Amino acid sequence: MEQNHVTIVGAGIVGISIALELQTQGFKVRVLDRSGVANEASAGSAGAFAFADIVPLATPGIMLKAPKWLLDPLGPLSVPPAYAVKIAPWMLRFWRASWRDRYQAALAAQSTLNGFSSTALERQIKNVDGEPLMQRDGQMQLYEGEQEFRASLKSWEVRRAFGIAFEHLKSPEEIAEIQPGLDPRFTHAAFTPDWMNTIDPRSWAEHLAQAFKTRGGEIERVEVLALEQSGDGFELMTPNGPLKASQVVVAAGAWSHHLARTLGDRIPLETERGYNTTLPAGAFDLRTQLTFGGHGFVASRINGGVRIGGAVELGGLKLPPNFKRAEILLKKAAQFLPTLNTADGKQWMGFRPSMPDSLPVIGASPRASKVIYAFGHGHLGLTQSAGTAELVAALICGKTPAVSTAPYAPTRF
Ligand SMILES: Cc1cc2nc3c(=O)[nH]c(=O)nc-3n(C[C@H](O)[C@H](O)[C@H](O)COP(=O)(O)OP(=O)(O)OC[C@H]3O[C@@H](n4cnc5c(N)ncnc54)[C@H](O)[C@@H]3O)c2cc1C
């Protein structure tokens, strides 16, 4: 096999971004995906390039708050009883990740990757003439009353320390200047102007995939069952027989650890399942992304309509979806945005690929230096896709990556 050939498993936003970046740098790239382009998590995200979201989920003290959330089976965080035992080892690592020193390290690493990804995204947009698919409208985090707002101030100081721009709004009138039509229970807000959204995450991934194909890239629909070392290369086992590869990238989202396992690598990847309902154009005049942090969901503008989504369900890859979660979020949204037209919504559930410390895995397999892992971006896969692509390309080219990939090493657990 030629040394400048790369095979990527996974055509989600991460795999497609890597494919395009490697192709731009002169590699011949083939992408394998069992379900086509962006048919899993990358299809239904909120479409946010959430560069201001630098605080990991495992914050100090979170394990004291979590049991209260878990008492409500349809609350923002849930663990279906059928999955409670299976998720326990991951939860233990999550708890360790919330220890102050580890949290501080993860915070710095998340901030670095988000910052780098925002500049990489601008290069990616230019590369594919992607500006028409972007919405540069910022984001507003909403608070119900002074007490909730005050409780958030510490986290805004953390963001300030990492250079995130924001403005605090302290009355419903100030909020209405940016977003009219909100229930007056929201008395305070924080607006992050540098936040961006795509008009539709599926269309964005398809746009990148189209550019990749037009420039000679190949996308093949096939399931990869296992990776095996063979001579100085690899065989990718598929239902149609083995495919040979000299260099492999695993970007298979929430399923990536299964492939890593076939090489002998154990990586503590889990899924945080999320839900949403997408309402058609005209449902509400949404002018910025709205984040209802206390309720664990957001409202974002998708194709001129509104997507109401969020929730974290630690329920693994096999249990059937519980669309009551999507209904609950939509009901709440209708209270918070009294003129929201909730008719004709389309429900969806997706699998966020999540590591216990909220950081992705970006780095070579400890058992095979020519297999690069790029997965586990959790809530930030779209946000960090362009940055991840540049880091992976640097690793494959043998160049020093623009930011150190040590915090994202597959061996860190
Ligand atoms: C409700 C919700 C809202 C979200 N909102 C945002 C947001 O606003 N901003 C943000 O940055 N992130 C958001 N996320 C997270 C984001 O969607 C994910 O982090 C991101 O899509 C992960 O991309 P990926 O390419 O790694 O995985 P995926 O999109 O899941 O792609 C993985 C691909 O690998 C393929 N695959 C898997 N196994 C195999 C195999 N064995 N053989 C062949 N193919 C295989 C799958 O078919 C799939 O196409 C959200 C997630 C959810 C659920």
Side-chain angles (χ1 to χ4, degrees), residues 20 49 118-134 136 196 204 207-208 386:
L20 190 66
F49 295 97
S118 102
T119 58
L121 175 66
E122 297 301 340
R123 290 186 282 276
Q124 193 185 41
I125 291 172
K126 227 172 170 183
N127 184 3
V128 298
D129 295 326
E131 193 57 39
L133 284 91
M134 295 295 139
R136 296 178 187 264
M196 293 164 60
W204 175 237
H207 184 79
L208 297 174

mmCIF file with all atom_site columns, all heavy atoms in Angstrom, residues 20 49 118-134 136 196 204 207-208 386:
data_model
loop_
_atom_site.group_PDB
_atom_site.id
_atom_site.type_symbol
_atom_site.label_atom_id
_atom_site.label_alt_id
_atom_site.label_comp_id
_atom_site.label_asym_id
_atom_site.label_entity_id
_atom_site.label_seq_id
_atom_site.pdbx_PDB_ins_code
_atom_site.Cartn_x
_atom_site.Cartn_y
_atom_site.Cartn_z
_atom_site.occupancy
_atom_site.B_iso_or_equiv
_atom_site.pdbx_formal_charge
_atom_site.auth_seq_id
_atom_site.auth_comp_id
_atom_site.auth_asym_id
_atom_site.auth_atom_id
_atom_site.pdbx_PDB_model_num
ATOM 1   N N   . LEU A 1 20  ? -11.021 15.625 4.637  1.00 0.00 ? 20  LEU A N   1
ATOM 2   C CA  . LEU A 1 20  ? -10.812 16.820 3.803  1.00 0.00 ? 20  LEU A CA  1
ATOM 3   C C   . LEU A 1 20  ? -9.447  17.457 4.090  1.00 0.00 ? 20  LEU A C   1
ATOM 4   O O   . LEU A 1 20  ? -8.733  17.859 3.170  1.00 0.00 ? 20  LEU A O   1
ATOM 5   C CB  . LEU A 1 20  ? -11.943 17.811 4.092  1.00 0.00 ? 20  LEU A CB  1
ATOM 6   C CG  . LEU A 1 20  ? -12.048 18.996 3.171  1.00 0.00 ? 20  LEU A CG  1
ATOM 7   C CD1 . LEU A 1 20  ? -12.428 18.577 1.758  1.00 0.00 ? 20  LEU A CD1 1
ATOM 8   C CD2 . LEU A 1 20  ? -13.096 19.976 3.708  1.00 0.00 ? 20  LEU A CD2 1
ATOM 9   N N   . PHE A 1 49  ? -21.126 25.802 17.146 1.00 0.00 ? 49  PHE A N   1
ATOM 10  C CA  . PHE A 1 49  ? -19.686 25.849 17.349 1.00 0.00 ? 49  PHE A CA  1
ATOM 11  C C   . PHE A 1 49  ? -19.522 26.569 18.681 1.00 0.00 ? 49  PHE A C   1
ATOM 12  O O   . PHE A 1 49  ? -19.440 27.799 18.758 1.00 0.00 ? 49  PHE A O   1
ATOM 13  C CB  . PHE A 1 49  ? -18.995 26.574 16.196 1.00 0.00 ? 49  PHE A CB  1
ATOM 14  C CG  . PHE A 1 49  ? -19.137 25.829 14.893 1.00 0.00 ? 49  PHE A CG  1
ATOM 15  C CD1 . PHE A 1 49  ? -20.116 26.160 13.986 1.00 0.00 ? 49  PHE A CD1 1
ATOM 16  C CD2 . PHE A 1 49  ? -18.301 24.757 14.610 1.00 0.00 ? 49  PHE A CD2 1
ATOM 17  C CE1 . PHE A 1 49  ? -20.262 25.453 12.797 1.00 0.00 ? 49  PHE A CE1 1
ATOM 18  C CE2 . PHE A 1 49  ? -18.438 24.041 13.423 1.00 0.00 ? 49  PHE A CE2 1
ATOM 19  C CZ  . PHE A 1 49  ? -19.425 24.395 12.520 1.00 0.00 ? 49  PHE A CZ  1
ATOM 20  N N   . SER A 1 118 ? -11.512 27.101 16.765 1.00 0.00 ? 118 SER A N   1
ATOM 21  C CA  . SER A 1 118 ? -12.215 28.251 16.184 1.00 0.00 ? 118 SER A CA  1
ATOM 22  C C   . SER A 1 118 ? -11.391 28.841 15.030 1.00 0.00 ? 118 SER A C   1
ATOM 23  O O   . SER A 1 118 ? -11.948 29.212 13.997 1.00 0.00 ? 118 SER A O   1
ATOM 24  C CB  . SER A 1 118 ? -12.585 29.262 17.267 1.00 0.00 ? 118 SER A CB  1
ATOM 25  O OG  . SER A 1 118 ? -11.730 30.338 17.279 1.00 0.00 ? 118 SER A OG  1
ATOM 26  N N   . THR A 1 119 ? -10.069 28.859 15.158 1.00 0.00 ? 119 THR A N   1
ATOM 27  C CA  . THR A 1 119 ? -9.263  29.375 14.035 1.00 0.00 ? 119 THR A CA  1
ATOM 28  C C   . THR A 1 119 ? -9.242  28.340 12.906 1.00 0.00 ? 119 THR A C   1
ATOM 29  O O   . THR A 1 119 ? -9.289  28.696 11.727 1.00 0.00 ? 119 THR A O   1
ATOM 30  C CB  . THR A 1 119 ? -7.826  29.716 14.475 1.00 0.00 ? 119 THR A CB  1
ATOM 31  O OG1 . THR A 1 119 ? -7.218  28.547 15.008 1.00 0.00 ? 119 THR A OG1 1
ATOM 32  C CG2 . THR A 1 119 ? -7.791  30.802 15.524 1.00 0.00 ? 119 THR A CG2 1
ATOM 33  N N   . ALA A 1 120 ? -9.200  27.058 13.271 1.00 0.00 ? 120 ALA A N   1
ATOM 34  C CA  . ALA A 1 120 ? -9.202  26.007 12.234 1.00 0.00 ? 120 ALA A CA  1
ATOM 35  C C   . ALA A 1 120 ? -10.520 26.029 11.460 1.00 0.00 ? 120 ALA A C   1
ATOM 36  O O   . ALA A 1 120 ? -10.543 25.785 10.247 1.00 0.00 ? 120 ALA A O   1
ATOM 37  C CB  . ALA A 1 120 ? -8.986  24.644 12.887 1.00 0.00 ? 120 ALA A CB  1
ATOM 38  N N   . LEU A 1 121 ? -11.614 26.320 12.159 1.00 0.00 ? 121 LEU A N   1
ATOM 39  C CA  . LEU A 1 121 ? -12.912 26.369 11.471 1.00 0.00 ? 121 LEU A CA  1
ATOM 40  C C   . LEU A 1 121 ? -12.917 27.459 10.396 1.00 0.00 ? 121 LEU A C   1
ATOM 41  O O   . LEU A 1 121 ? -13.417 27.250 9.292  1.00 0.00 ? 121 LEU A O   1
ATOM 42  C CB  . LEU A 1 121 ? -14.047 26.618 12.477 1.00 0.00 ? 121 LEU A CB  1
ATOM 43  C CG  . LEU A 1 121 ? -15.430 26.805 11.843 1.00 0.00 ? 121 LEU A CG  1
ATOM 44  C CD1 . LEU A 1 121 ? -15.915 25.513 11.166 1.00 0.00 ? 121 LEU A CD1 1
ATOM 45  C CD2 . LEU A 1 121 ? -16.462 27.251 12.880 1.00 0.00 ? 121 LEU A CD2 1
ATOM 46  N N   . GLU A 1 122 ? -12.326 28.613 10.723 1.00 0.00 ? 122 GLU A N   1
ATOM 47  C CA  . GLU A 1 122 ? -12.292 29.693 9.722  1.00 0.00 ? 122 GLU A CA  1
ATOM 48  C C   . GLU A 1 122 ? -11.527 29.238 8.472  1.00 0.00 ? 122 GLU A C   1
ATOM 49  O O   . GLU A 1 122 ? -11.918 29.531 7.347  1.00 0.00 ? 122 GLU A O   1
ATOM 50  C CB  . GLU A 1 122 ? -11.676 30.974 10.311 1.00 0.00 ? 122 GLU A CB  1
ATOM 51  C CG  . GLU A 1 122 ? -12.468 31.584 11.468 1.00 0.00 ? 122 GLU A CG  1
ATOM 52  C CD  . GLU A 1 122 ? -13.916 31.964 11.113 1.00 0.00 ? 122 GLU A CD  1
ATOM 53  O OE1 . GLU A 1 122 ? -14.247 32.119 9.925  1.00 0.00 ? 122 GLU A OE1 1
ATOM 54  O OE2 . GLU A 1 122 ? -14.729 32.088 12.068 1.00 0.00 ? 122 GLU A OE2 1
ATOM 55  N N   . ARG A 1 123 ? -10.437 28.482 8.682  1.00 0.00 ? 123 ARG A N   1
ATOM 56  C CA  . ARG A 1 123 ? -9.675  27.966 7.521  1.00 0.00 ? 123 ARG A CA  1
ATOM 57  C C   . ARG A 1 123 ? -10.524 26.963 6.738  1.00 0.00 ? 123 ARG A C   1
ATOM 58  O O   . ARG A 1 123 ? -10.535 26.948 5.510  1.00 0.00 ? 123 ARG A O   1
ATOM 59  C CB  . ARG A 1 123 ? -8.367  27.299 7.999  1.00 0.00 ? 123 ARG A CB  1
ATOM 60  C CG  . ARG A 1 123 ? -7.335  28.283 8.531  1.00 0.00 ? 123 ARG A CG  1
ATOM 61  C CD  . ARG A 1 123 ? -6.013  27.616 8.851  1.00 0.00 ? 123 ARG A CD  1
ATOM 62  N NE  . ARG A 1 123 ? -5.988  26.880 10.108 1.00 0.00 ? 123 ARG A NE  1
ATOM 63  C CZ  . ARG A 1 123 ? -5.763  27.400 11.309 1.00 0.00 ? 123 ARG A CZ  1
ATOM 64  N NH1 . ARG A 1 123 ? -5.537  28.685 11.427 1.00 0.00 ? 123 ARG A NH1 1
ATOM 65  N NH2 . ARG A 1 123 ? -5.747  26.654 12.399 1.00 0.00 ? 123 ARG A NH2 1
ATOM 66  N N   . GLN A 1 124 ? -11.282 26.139 7.489  1.00 0.00 ? 124 GLN A N   1
ATOM 67  C CA  . GLN A 1 124 ? -12.108 25.116 6.833  1.00 0.00 ? 124 GLN A CA  1
ATOM 68  C C   . GLN A 1 124 ? -13.237 25.782 6.026  1.00 0.00 ? 124 GLN A C   1
ATOM 69  O O   . GLN A 1 124 ? -13.516 25.385 4.890  1.00 0.00 ? 124 GLN A O   1
ATOM 70  C CB  . GLN A 1 124 ? -12.698 24.197 7.914  1.00 0.00 ? 124 GLN A CB  1
ATOM 71  C CG  . GLN A 1 124 ? -13.316 22.929 7.379  1.00 0.00 ? 124 GLN A CG  1
ATOM 72  C CD  . GLN A 1 124 ? -13.995 22.134 8.491  1.00 0.00 ? 124 GLN A CD  1
ATOM 73  O OE1 . GLN A 1 124 ? -14.671 22.695 9.372  1.00 0.00 ? 124 GLN A OE1 1
ATOM 74  N NE2 . GLN A 1 124 ? -13.820 20.825 8.468  1.00 0.00 ? 124 GLN A NE2 1
ATOM 75  N N   . ILE A 1 125 ? -13.858 26.804 6.605  1.00 0.00 ? 125 ILE A N   1
ATOM 76  C CA  . ILE A 1 125 ? -14.949 27.508 5.906  1.00 0.00 ? 125 ILE A CA  1
ATOM 77  C C   . ILE A 1 125 ? -14.416 28.084 4.590  1.00 0.00 ? 125 ILE A C   1
ATOM 78  O O   . ILE A 1 125 ? -15.051 27.966 3.539  1.00 0.00 ? 125 ILE A O   1
ATOM 79  C CB  . ILE A 1 125 ? -15.522 28.632 6.806  1.00 0.00 ? 125 ILE A CB  1
ATOM 80  C CG1 . ILE A 1 125 ? -16.269 28.039 8.007  1.00 0.00 ? 125 ILE A CG1 1
ATOM 81  C CG2 . ILE A 1 125 ? -16.452 29.558 6.017  1.00 0.00 ? 125 ILE A CG2 1
ATOM 82  C CD1 . ILE A 1 125 ? -16.696 29.053 9.058  1.00 0.00 ? 125 ILE A CD1 1
ATOM 83  N N   . LYS A 1 126 ? -13.228 28.686 4.665  1.00 0.00 ? 126 LYS A N   1
ATOM 84  C CA  . LYS A 1 126 ? -12.613 29.282 3.460  1.00 0.00 ? 126 LYS A CA  1
ATOM 85  C C   . LYS A 1 126 ? -12.324 28.205 2.413  1.00 0.00 ? 126 LYS A C   1
ATOM 86  O O   . LYS A 1 126 ? -12.593 28.375 1.230  1.00 0.00 ? 126 LYS A O   1
ATOM 87  C CB  . LYS A 1 126 ? -11.296 29.959 3.868  1.00 0.00 ? 126 LYS A CB  1
ATOM 88  C CG  . LYS A 1 126 ? -11.146 31.339 3.307  1.00 0.00 ? 126 LYS A CG  1
ATOM 89  C CD  . LYS A 1 126 ? -9.934  31.966 3.911  1.00 0.00 ? 126 LYS A CD  1
ATOM 90  C CE  . LYS A 1 126 ? -9.629  33.258 3.179  1.00 0.00 ? 126 LYS A CE  1
ATOM 91  N NZ  . LYS A 1 126 ? -8.415  33.836 3.728  1.00 0.00 ? 126 LYS A NZ  1
ATOM 92  N N   . ASN A 1 127 ? -11.802 27.086 2.892  1.00 0.00 ? 127 ASN A N   1
ATOM 93  C CA  . ASN A 1 127 ? -11.408 25.982 2.003  1.00 0.00 ? 127 ASN A CA  1
ATOM 94  C C   . ASN A 1 127 ? -12.577 25.475 1.163  1.00 0.00 ? 127 ASN A C   1
ATOM 95  O O   . ASN A 1 127 ? -12.413 25.066 0.025  1.00 0.00 ? 127 ASN A O   1
ATOM 96  C CB  . ASN A 1 127 ? -10.822 24.849 2.874  1.00 0.00 ? 127 ASN A CB  1
ATOM 97  C CG  . ASN A 1 127 ? -10.289 23.682 2.061  1.00 0.00 ? 127 ASN A CG  1
ATOM 98  O OD1 . ASN A 1 127 ? -10.293 23.702 0.828  1.00 0.00 ? 127 ASN A OD1 1
ATOM 99  N ND2 . ASN A 1 127 ? -9.825  22.655 2.740  1.00 0.00 ? 127 ASN A ND2 1
ATOM 100 N N   . VAL A 1 128 ? -13.803 25.513 1.754  1.00 0.00 ? 128 VAL A N   1
ATOM 101 C CA  . VAL A 1 128 ? -14.961 24.912 1.052  1.00 0.00 ? 128 VAL A CA  1
ATOM 102 C C   . VAL A 1 128 ? -16.037 25.953 0.724  1.00 0.00 ? 128 VAL A C   1
ATOM 103 O O   . VAL A 1 128 ? -17.175 25.579 0.431  1.00 0.00 ? 128 VAL A O   1
ATOM 104 C CB  . VAL A 1 128 ? -15.594 23.766 1.888  1.00 0.00 ? 128 VAL A CB  1
ATOM 105 C CG1 . VAL A 1 128 ? -14.600 22.640 2.100  1.00 0.00 ? 128 VAL A CG1 1
ATOM 106 C CG2 . VAL A 1 128 ? -16.119 24.267 3.235  1.00 0.00 ? 128 VAL A CG2 1
ATOM 107 N N   . ASP A 1 129 ? -15.690 27.242 0.754  1.00 0.00 ? 129 ASP A N   1
ATOM 108 C CA  . ASP A 1 129 ? -16.680 28.312 0.528  1.00 0.00 ? 129 ASP A CA  1
ATOM 109 C C   . ASP A 1 129 ? -17.928 28.069 1.381  1.00 0.00 ? 129 ASP A C   1
ATOM 110 O O   . ASP A 1 129 ? -19.059 28.039 0.884  1.00 0.00 ? 129 ASP A O   1
ATOM 111 C CB  . ASP A 1 129 ? -17.084 28.374 -0.962 1.00 0.00 ? 129 ASP A CB  1
ATOM 112 C CG  . ASP A 1 129 ? -15.900 28.787 -1.828 1.00 0.00 ? 129 ASP A CG  1
ATOM 113 O OD1 . ASP A 1 129 ? -15.081 29.591 -1.339 1.00 0.00 ? 129 ASP A OD1 1
ATOM 114 O OD2 . ASP A 1 129 ? -15.784 28.277 -2.955 1.00 0.00 ? 129 ASP A OD2 1
ATOM 115 N N   . GLY A 1 130 ? -17.717 27.878 2.672  1.00 0.00 ? 130 GLY A N   1
ATOM 116 C CA  . GLY A 1 130 ? -18.811 27.442 3.534  1.00 0.00 ? 130 GLY A CA  1
ATOM 117 C C   . GLY A 1 130 ? -19.580 28.549 4.245  1.00 0.00 ? 130 GLY A C   1
ATOM 118 O O   . GLY A 1 130 ? -20.510 28.253 5.000  1.00 0.00 ? 130 GLY A O   1
ATOM 119 N N   . GLU A 1 131 ? -19.230 29.806 4.012  1.00 0.00 ? 131 GLU A N   1
ATOM 120 C CA  . GLU A 1 131 ? -19.869 30.880 4.779  1.00 0.00 ? 131 GLU A CA  1
ATOM 121 C C   . GLU A 1 131 ? -21.414 30.869 4.691  1.00 0.00 ? 131 GLU A C   1
ATOM 122 O O   . GLU A 1 131 ? -22.078 31.107 5.702  1.00 0.00 ? 131 GLU A O   1
ATOM 123 C CB  . GLU A 1 131 ? -19.312 32.248 4.342  1.00 0.00 ? 131 GLU A CB  1
ATOM 124 C CG  . GLU A 1 131 ? -19.654 33.406 5.268  1.00 0.00 ? 131 GLU A CG  1
ATOM 125 C CD  . GLU A 1 131 ? -19.212 33.218 6.732  1.00 0.00 ? 131 GLU A CD  1
ATOM 126 O OE1 . GLU A 1 131 ? -18.117 32.672 6.973  1.00 0.00 ? 131 GLU A OE1 1
ATOM 127 O OE2 . GLU A 1 131 ? -19.981 33.633 7.636  1.00 0.00 ? 131 GLU A OE2 1
ATOM 128 N N   . PRO A 1 132 ? -22.008 30.565 3.512  1.00 0.00 ? 132 PRO A N   1
ATOM 129 C CA  . PRO A 1 132 ? -23.480 30.563 3.467  1.00 0.00 ? 132 PRO A CA  1
ATOM 130 C C   . PRO A 1 132 ? -24.125 29.554 4.425  1.00 0.00 ? 132 PRO A C   1
ATOM 131 O O   . PRO A 1 132 ? -25.313 29.655 4.712  1.00 0.00 ? 132 PRO A O   1
ATOM 132 C CB  . PRO A 1 132 ? -23.792 30.199 2.006  1.00 0.00 ? 132 PRO A CB  1
ATOM 133 C CG  . PRO A 1 132 ? -22.570 30.582 1.245  1.00 0.00 ? 132 PRO A CG  1
ATOM 134 C CD  . PRO A 1 132 ? -21.412 30.365 2.182  1.00 0.00 ? 132 PRO A CD  1
ATOM 135 N N   . LEU A 1 133 ? -23.348 28.598 4.925  1.00 0.00 ? 133 LEU A N   1
ATOM 136 C CA  . LEU A 1 133 ? -23.934 27.617 5.859  1.00 0.00 ? 133 LEU A CA  1
ATOM 137 C C   . LEU A 1 133 ? -23.723 28.004 7.318  1.00 0.00 ? 133 LEU A C   1
ATOM 138 O O   . LEU A 1 133 ? -24.006 27.222 8.229  1.00 0.00 ? 133 LEU A O   1
ATOM 139 C CB  . LEU A 1 133 ? -23.351 26.222 5.604  1.00 0.00 ? 133 LEU A CB  1
ATOM 140 C CG  . LEU A 1 133 ? -23.907 25.529 4.359  1.00 0.00 ? 133 LEU A CG  1
ATOM 141 C CD1 . LEU A 1 133 ? -23.047 25.848 3.150  1.00 0.00 ? 133 LEU A CD1 1
ATOM 142 C CD2 . LEU A 1 133 ? -23.998 24.034 4.549  1.00 0.00 ? 133 LEU A CD2 1
ATOM 143 N N   . MET A 1 134 ? -23.188 29.202 7.553  1.00 0.00 ? 134 MET A N   1
ATOM 144 C CA  . MET A 1 134 ? -22.901 29.634 8.926  1.00 0.00 ? 134 MET A CA  1
ATOM 145 C C   . MET A 1 134 ? -23.885 30.700 9.389  1.00 0.00 ? 134 MET A C   1
ATOM 146 O O   . MET A 1 134 ? -24.397 31.481 8.587  1.00 0.00 ? 134 MET A O   1
ATOM 147 C CB  . MET A 1 134 ? -21.481 30.227 9.004  1.00 0.00 ? 134 MET A CB  1
ATOM 148 C CG  . MET A 1 134 ? -20.398 29.216 8.728  1.00 0.00 ? 134 MET A CG  1
ATOM 149 S SD  . MET A 1 134 ? -20.361 27.928 10.005 1.00 0.00 ? 134 MET A SD  1
ATOM 150 C CE  . MET A 1 134 ? -20.096 26.472 8.992  1.00 0.00 ? 134 MET A CE  1
ATOM 151 N N   . ARG A 1 136 ? -23.734 33.612 12.370 1.00 0.00 ? 136 ARG A N   1
ATOM 152 C CA  . ARG A 1 136 ? -22.862 34.203 13.387 1.00 0.00 ? 136 ARG A CA  1
ATOM 153 C C   . ARG A 1 136 ? -23.706 35.102 14.294 1.00 0.00 ? 136 ARG A C   1
ATOM 154 O O   . ARG A 1 136 ? -23.638 36.319 14.218 1.00 0.00 ? 136 ARG A O   1
ATOM 155 C CB  . ARG A 1 136 ? -21.718 34.968 12.705 1.00 0.00 ? 136 ARG A CB  1
ATOM 156 C CG  . ARG A 1 136 ? -20.793 34.070 11.879 1.00 0.00 ? 136 ARG A CG  1
ATOM 157 C CD  . ARG A 1 136 ? -19.715 34.853 11.173 1.00 0.00 ? 136 ARG A CD  1
ATOM 158 N NE  . ARG A 1 136 ? -18.943 34.021 10.250 1.00 0.00 ? 136 ARG A NE  1
ATOM 159 C CZ  . ARG A 1 136 ? -17.771 33.438 10.538 1.00 0.00 ? 136 ARG A CZ  1
ATOM 160 N NH1 . ARG A 1 136 ? -17.228 33.610 11.719 1.00 0.00 ? 136 ARG A NH1 1
ATOM 161 N NH2 . ARG A 1 136 ? -17.150 32.709 9.641  1.00 0.00 ? 136 ARG A NH2 1
ATOM 162 N N   . MET A 1 196 ? -20.900 30.513 17.263 1.00 0.00 ? 196 MET A N   1
ATOM 163 C CA  . MET A 1 196 ? -21.461 30.403 15.908 1.00 0.00 ? 196 MET A CA  1
ATOM 164 C C   . MET A 1 196 ? -22.324 29.153 15.810 1.00 0.00 ? 196 MET A C   1
ATOM 165 O O   . MET A 1 196 ? -22.157 28.220 16.585 1.00 0.00 ? 196 MET A O   1
ATOM 166 C CB  . MET A 1 196 ? -20.331 30.235 14.877 1.00 0.00 ? 196 MET A CB  1
ATOM 167 C CG  . MET A 1 196 ? -19.448 31.410 14.721 1.00 0.00 ? 196 MET A CG  1
ATOM 168 S SD  . MET A 1 196 ? -17.924 30.932 13.861 1.00 0.00 ? 196 MET A SD  1
ATOM 169 C CE  . MET A 1 196 ? -18.548 30.324 12.300 1.00 0.00 ? 196 MET A CE  1
ATOM 170 N N   . TRP A 1 204 ? -23.990 20.783 6.736  1.00 0.00 ? 204 TRP A N   1
ATOM 171 C CA  . TRP A 1 204 ? -22.582 21.195 6.828  1.00 0.00 ? 204 TRP A CA  1
ATOM 172 C C   . TRP A 1 204 ? -21.663 19.993 6.563  1.00 0.00 ? 204 TRP A C   1
ATOM 173 O O   . TRP A 1 204 ? -20.726 20.071 5.763  1.00 0.00 ? 204 TRP A O   1
ATOM 174 C CB  . TRP A 1 204 ? -22.310 21.832 8.191  1.00 0.00 ? 204 TRP A CB  1
ATOM 175 C CG  . TRP A 1 204 ? -20.868 22.193 8.451  1.00 0.00 ? 204 TRP A CG  1
ATOM 176 C CD1 . TRP A 1 204 ? -20.103 21.765 9.487  1.00 0.00 ? 204 TRP A CD1 1
ATOM 177 C CD2 . TRP A 1 204 ? -20.028 23.047 7.660  1.00 0.00 ? 204 TRP A CD2 1
ATOM 178 N NE1 . TRP A 1 204 ? -18.842 22.295 9.394  1.00 0.00 ? 204 TRP A NE1 1
ATOM 179 C CE2 . TRP A 1 204 ? -18.765 23.086 8.281  1.00 0.00 ? 204 TRP A CE2 1
ATOM 180 C CE3 . TRP A 1 204 ? -20.220 23.770 6.489  1.00 0.00 ? 204 TRP A CE3 1
ATOM 181 C CZ2 . TRP A 1 204 ? -17.694 23.821 7.785  1.00 0.00 ? 204 TRP A CZ2 1
ATOM 182 C CZ3 . TRP A 1 204 ? -19.151 24.507 5.978  1.00 0.00 ? 204 TRP A CZ3 1
ATOM 183 C CH2 . TRP A 1 204 ? -17.910 24.535 6.623  1.00 0.00 ? 204 TRP A CH2 1
ATOM 184 N N   . HIS A 1 207 ? -21.810 19.121 2.960  1.00 0.00 ? 207 HIS A N   1
ATOM 185 C CA  . HIS A 1 207 ? -21.070 20.105 2.162  1.00 0.00 ? 207 HIS A CA  1
ATOM 186 C C   . HIS A 1 207 ? -19.571 19.767 2.162  1.00 0.00 ? 207 HIS A C   1
ATOM 187 O O   . HIS A 1 207 ? -18.919 19.776 1.106  1.00 0.00 ? 207 HIS A O   1
ATOM 188 C CB  . HIS A 1 207 ? -21.316 21.500 2.754  1.00 0.00 ? 207 HIS A CB  1
ATOM 189 C CG  . HIS A 1 207 ? -20.689 22.616 1.983  1.00 0.00 ? 207 HIS A CG  1
ATOM 190 N ND1 . HIS A 1 207 ? -21.242 23.135 0.829  1.00 0.00 ? 207 HIS A ND1 1
ATOM 191 C CD2 . HIS A 1 207 ? -19.543 23.308 2.186  1.00 0.00 ? 207 HIS A CD2 1
ATOM 192 C CE1 . HIS A 1 207 ? -20.464 24.097 0.364  1.00 0.00 ? 207 HIS A CE1 1
ATOM 193 N NE2 . HIS A 1 207 ? -19.422 24.222 1.172  1.00 0.00 ? 207 HIS A NE2 1
ATOM 194 N N   . LEU A 1 208 ? -19.053 19.430 3.346  1.00 0.00 ? 208 LEU A N   1
ATOM 195 C CA  . LEU A 1 208 ? -17.634 19.051 3.443  1.00 0.00 ? 208 LEU A CA  1
ATOM 196 C C   . LEU A 1 208 ? -17.380 17.764 2.643  1.00 0.00 ? 208 LEU A C   1
ATOM 197 O O   . LEU A 1 208 ? -16.382 17.647 1.922  1.00 0.00 ? 208 LEU A O   1
ATOM 198 C CB  . LEU A 1 208 ? -17.227 18.835 4.906  1.00 0.00 ? 208 LEU A CB  1
ATOM 199 C CG  . LEU A 1 208 ? -17.318 20.052 5.836  1.00 0.00 ? 208 LEU A CG  1
ATOM 200 C CD1 . LEU A 1 208 ? -17.012 19.630 7.276  1.00 0.00 ? 208 LEU A CD1 1
ATOM 201 C CD2 . LEU A 1 208 ? -16.346 21.150 5.415  1.00 0.00 ? 208 LEU A CD2 1
ATOM 202 N N   . ALA A 1 386 ? -12.939 20.789 13.177 1.00 0.00 ? 386 ALA A N   1
ATOM 203 C CA  . ALA A 1 386 ? -11.898 21.343 12.289 1.00 0.00 ? 386 ALA A CA  1
ATOM 204 C C   . ALA A 1 386 ? -10.541 21.328 12.992 1.00 0.00 ? 386 ALA A C   1
ATOM 205 O O   . ALA A 1 386 ? -9.513  21.027 12.369 1.00 0.00 ? 386 ALA A O   1
ATOM 206 C CB  . ALA A 1 386 ? -12.279 22.763 11.874 1.00 0.00 ? 386 ALA A CB  1
#
